[in-house]
Amino acid sequence: MNELISKDIKRNKTRMVKIKVEFLGGLDVIFNKERVHNLNVPKEDPVTMADLLDFIVETMIANKKDVEVFLENGTVRPGIITLINDTDWELEGELEYVLEDGDIISFTSTLHGG
Amino acid sequence: MSSKSFVYVPPSEPVNNKNVKISQLCELCHARKAILKRPKNMQKVCKLCFFHVFETEIHNTIIDNNLFYRGERVAVGASGGKDSTVLAHMLKLLNERHDYGIDIVLLSVDEGIIGYRDDSLATVKRNQKQYGLPLEIVSFKELYNWTMDEIVACAGIRNSCTYCGVFRRQALDRGAEKLGINHVITGHNADDMAETVLMNILRGDVARLEKSTAIITKSKGSPIKRSKPFKYSYQKEIVLYAHYKKLDYFSTECTYAPEAFRGTAREFMKNLESVRPSCIIDIIHSGENLVLKKKDASQTKHGATGFVDGNRCEKCGYLSSNKKCKACILLEGLEANRATISIENDSSVDGAARVMRQLEHMSF
C-alpha cells in the first residue's frame, strides 16, 4: 500500500500527514488484530478527524459489516473513547480537529465486559 | 489459531507537545493542560488532577460506607478485564496510602471458555505478579464437573449467559469460603449499576429494583458480603485511568453472545450518555431514592413472592431462596442431557464457541 501511496505522491504532488493510530480495548479485532498503525494520510487541504475517519473506513476496515462497530451516525460510536495525543477529543474540537505530523490518535472500546 | 500468548503493549506516549491556551487549562490546578472533561460534572481536568480526584472519590466512597474494617481479609473478584484490574490496583494503592489494614487476595473463576477465559486468566496471573497479591482460581469444571464450552455444546448458545451468571456468582462465594474470606469485592461500575436499575424497571422486577443500588449486599444467613467500591465510578473514567496508568488489562468480548436484553439496555445507556453524560449517576440516584410501597401484611404472611431469605439448598447446602438452588436445578437439566457415551480424551467441544463465531463470519 505504501508503494501505491508513493506513486500517488509523484502523480498528484499531494503531501502526507504522518500520524499513529491505535485501536485499543478490543477494537483491534476489526483491524486485523493490529493495535498500532502508522499512517500516511494524503492531504491536499488540512486533514481533519472527519477525514481520518473516512480514510480508516475506506482503507482499513476489510469487512464492511464491521464499520458499524466503529462508527454510528457519521461519528465515532458512543462507548468508544477517542483520544488525540492522550486528550479526550471532546476538548479538541472532535471531527474538526486538524491533524499534525506526529499526532497519536487512539480509539478505545469500553463496550465489552469488565 | 491457538490462543497465542498475549503480551501487553502499553499505549504510545504522545510526542506532540503544543503550546497550551489558557482556555485549555485544568479547572483544578490551573497549571496544566486539561485532558478530559469529567462526565459526571463536565469539569475539565489534567492527568495528575484526574488521578487525584478519581482515587480520592473512591477512597471517600469506601470510608463513607464503612466498607472495610482493620484486619479484614478481602477477595477481589478478578477477571483480568478493565474494571477488576483497576480495582485490584486501586485497592492496593489506597490500602497503602490510607492504611486500611486490609489483606487483599485475587479470586478468579475459570468458566472453561477456550479462546476467552484462558487468555484473560493469563492477564490475571500477570496482575498477580505486578501487584504482588496472592491469587486463587476456582473452576466450573472442579465445582460442577462442567465447563462452559461443554454446557454450550449441550444446552446451546442462547442460554449461555444464564448458566454462566448463576454458576459464576456461586463460584465466587465458594472460592471465598475456601479461602476463609467473608468479603468479596467486585468491579461493578456506575454504568453497570445504572444498566441494572434500568433493566429492572423495564422488566418490572420490583423485588430486585430496591436492592439493586446497594453498595454492600448480603443474603440473610450467608457469611459472605459483597461490595462495589466503583459504584459511582464512570466506566469511561475507569478505562481512561487504566489507559493513563498503563495498566495491563484484557479486552476481548466473550466468545459467547451477550444476553440480547442487556446488550440493548447497554446501547441505550451509551446513547443517552452521549447526549447527557450525567444521566448515569442520575439513574443511580433515582434508584437509590426509590422507596417502594410496603406490601400488604396478608400478602407477605403467605409469602406471596415465594422468596425466603436464608434457606439452604437441599442438594448442595448452598444458600437458596427455594428448596433447590438455581445452580442445582440447572445442573440437573444438564445432567439429563449429557451424552451417555463419551469418546476418551474427546476435545471436540473445547473452544466450540470460537468455532461457531468463525463460522458465522464466513461467507462465500
Side-chain angles (χ1 to χ4, degrees):
Chain A
M1 195 180 80
N2 278 333
E3 257 175 49
L4 272 176
I5 291 173
S6 55
K7 272 182 199 163
D8 206 40
I9 302 178
K10 282 170 199 158
R11 215 175 26 233
N12 294 330
K13 287 189 180 165
T14 43
R15 291 188 304 142
M16 301 276 162
V17 56
K18 276 187 196 168
I19 55 163
K20 192 187 264 186
V21 176
E22 303 190 337
F23 300 101
L24 311 172
L27 207 57
D28 54 324
V29 282
I30 62 168
F31 297 95
N32 262 329
K33 297 195 174 168
E34 289 296 333
R35 290 160 55 101
V36 182
H37 299 252
N38 290 303
L39 298 185
N40 290 313
V41 186
K43 77 175 207 182
E44 284 162 29
D45 301 312
V47 182
T48 61
M49 279 298 285
D51 299 328
L52 175 64
L53 295 186
D54 290 342
F55 182 82
I56 289 171
V57 168
E58 279 161 26
T59 64
M60 297 172 69
I61 300 181
N63 188 346
K64 289 299 157 215
K65 271 197 229 159
D66 289 337
V67 173
E68 62 190 56
V69 176
F70 184 54
L71 295 186
E72 192 178 298
N73 300 324
T75 186
V76 178
R77 186 175 167 203
I80 294 176
I81 301 173
T82 307
L83 299 179
I84 298 171
N85 298 321
D86 260 2
T87 299
D88 193 330
W89 79 329
E90 275 182 12
L91 300 174
E92 299 281 4
E94 304 197 1
L95 292 170
E96 277 116 60
Y97 175 82
V98 177
L99 294 168
E100 293 176 23
D101 276 338
D103 278 351
I104 296 174
I105 314 294
S106 71
F107 300 96
T108 308
S109 171
T110 66
L111 292 168
H112 48 79
Chain B
M1 204 178 73
S2 65
S3 58
K4 61 169 184 208
S5 64
F6 177 90
V7 184
Y8 176 67
V9 184
S12 306
E13 196 63 45
V15 286
N16 275 3
N17 293 315
K18 297 166 196 169
N19 289 334
V20 181
K21 295 181 200 126
I22 288 186
S23 62
Q24 292 178 317
L25 288 177
C26 169
E27 289 174 11
L28 289 172
C29 67
H30 306 284
R32 291 174 290 256
K33 184 177 185 265
I35 44 116
L36 85 138
K37 197 148 100 188
R38 302 199 68 201
K40 62 160 83 171
N41 56 12
M42 307 305 267
Q43 192 171 42
K44 290 188 247 172
V45 292
C46 70
K47 199 183 279 189
L48 291 181
C49 289
F50 168 62
F51 290 155
H52 182 252
V53 288
F54 189 67
E55 288 159 2
T56 306
E57 281 173 4
I58 290 158
H59 168 65
N60 290 343
T61 305
I62 290 170
I63 296 303
D64 292 348
N65 294 282
N66 286 316
L67 288 195
F68 311 125
Y69 58 85
R70 182 165 290 279
E72 186 172 19
R73 293 182 68 217
V74 298
V76 172
S79 67
K82 53 190 171 8
D83 300 309
S84 60
T85 302
V86 175
L87 181 65
H89 164 89
M90 188 68 78
L91 284 181
K92 186 181 156 68
L93 177 100
L94 294 177
N95 189 32
E96 284 165 7
R97 182 182 294 168
H98 300 285
D99 189 27
Y100 297 151
I102 54 168
D103 220 346
I104 307 164
V105 179
L106 300 175
L107 176 59
S108 290
V109 178
D110 180 1
E111 297 93 344
I113 305 176
I114 287 186
Y116 171 65
R117 188 50 94 212
D118 43 352
D119 290 344
S120 64
L121 282 175
T123 312
V124 179
K125 285 172 190 163
R126 286 197 308 275
N127 290 159
Q128 175 197 8
K129 288 198 195 103
Q130 288 153 0
Y131 305 143
L133 297 171
L135 166 68
E136 175 77 25
I137 299 175
V138 286
S139 74
F140 277 13
K141 188 71 182 171
E142 82 189 69
L143 287 176
Y144 309 110
N145 198 26
W146 286 86
T147 65
M148 265 318 284
D149 281 340
E150 288 167 350
I151 291 173
V152 171
C154 178
I157 200 162
R158 279 191 61 195
N159 300 318
S160 52
C161 284
T162 309
Y163 286 97
C164 198
V166 169
F167 290 149
R168 177 146 29 88
R169 190 179 168 80
Q170 216 187 74
L172 271 179
D173 280 6
R174 288 182 188 272
E177 216 167 323
K178 197 167 144 191
L179 295 165
I181 290 176
N182 290 334
H183 188 173
V184 175
I185 308 170
T186 56
H188 290 99
N189 58 42
D191 296 52
D192 297 330
M193 191 165 272
E195 191 179 289
T196 307
V197 172
L198 207 63
M199 281 171 69
N200 286 332
I201 291 175
L202 294 175
R203 276 197 295 239
D205 196 337
V206 180
R208 284 208 179 85
L209 186 55
E210 255 189 317
K211 288 191 276 182
S212 59
T213 51
I215 189 162
I216 301 176
T217 48
K218 195 176 173 183
S219 313
K220 218 183 269 174
S222 166
I224 293 171
K225 70 172 177 184
R226 286 158 172 274
S227 67
K228 309 180 180 89
F230 285 173
K231 178 187 167 183
Y232 297 112
S233 308
Y234 271 67
Q235 181 152 289
K236 180 174 177 180
E237 294 197 336
I238 292 173
V239 173
L240 282 174
Y241 186 87
H243 180 92
Y244 294 137
K245 287 268 178 184
K246 302 199 190 314
L247 301 184
D248 172 7
Y249 70 89
F250 176 81
S251 51
T252 299
E253 193 59 72
C254 175
T255 36
Y256 297 116
E259 199 191 345
F261 188 52
R262 184 171 281 279
T264 313
R266 179 171 301 172
E267 193 131 320
F268 176 60
M269 284 273 319
K270 283 286 134 197
N271 286 326
L272 272 180
E273 188 193 3
S274 62
V275 183
R276 182 186 153 94
S278 69
C279 79
I280 289 177
I281 222 81
D282 296 339
I283 291 176
I284 297 176
H285 182 73
S286 302
E288 282 173 339
N289 288 285
L290 207 65
V291 179
L292 298 169
K293 189 171 69 186
K294 283 248 160 29
K295 289 188 201 92
D296 289 349
S298 60
Q299 267 192 327
T300 35
K301 213 195 298 173
H302 300 296
T305 53
F307 190 86
V308 190
D309 238 0
N311 251 12
R312 287 196 173 268
C313 168
E314 60 183 26
K315 221 177 151 193
C316 69
Y318 182 75
L319 278 171
S320 164
S321 42
N322 297 304
K323 267 188 162 180
K324 277 184 203 160
C325 73
K326 216 165 168 195
C328 283
I329 294 171
L330 290 178
L331 278 172
E332 277 178 8
L334 284 171
E335 292 297 344
N337 289 307
R338 190 180 311 246
T340 40
I341 304 167
S342 70
I343 306 162
E344 196 119 340
N345 297 326
D346 177 20
S347 61
S348 61
V349 298
D350 290 348
R354 190 173 52 193
V355 175
M356 233 181 273
R357 269 263 162 124
Q358 283 165 358
L359 288 173
E360 275 174 19
H361 287 291
M362 275 167 91
S363 57
F364 293 102

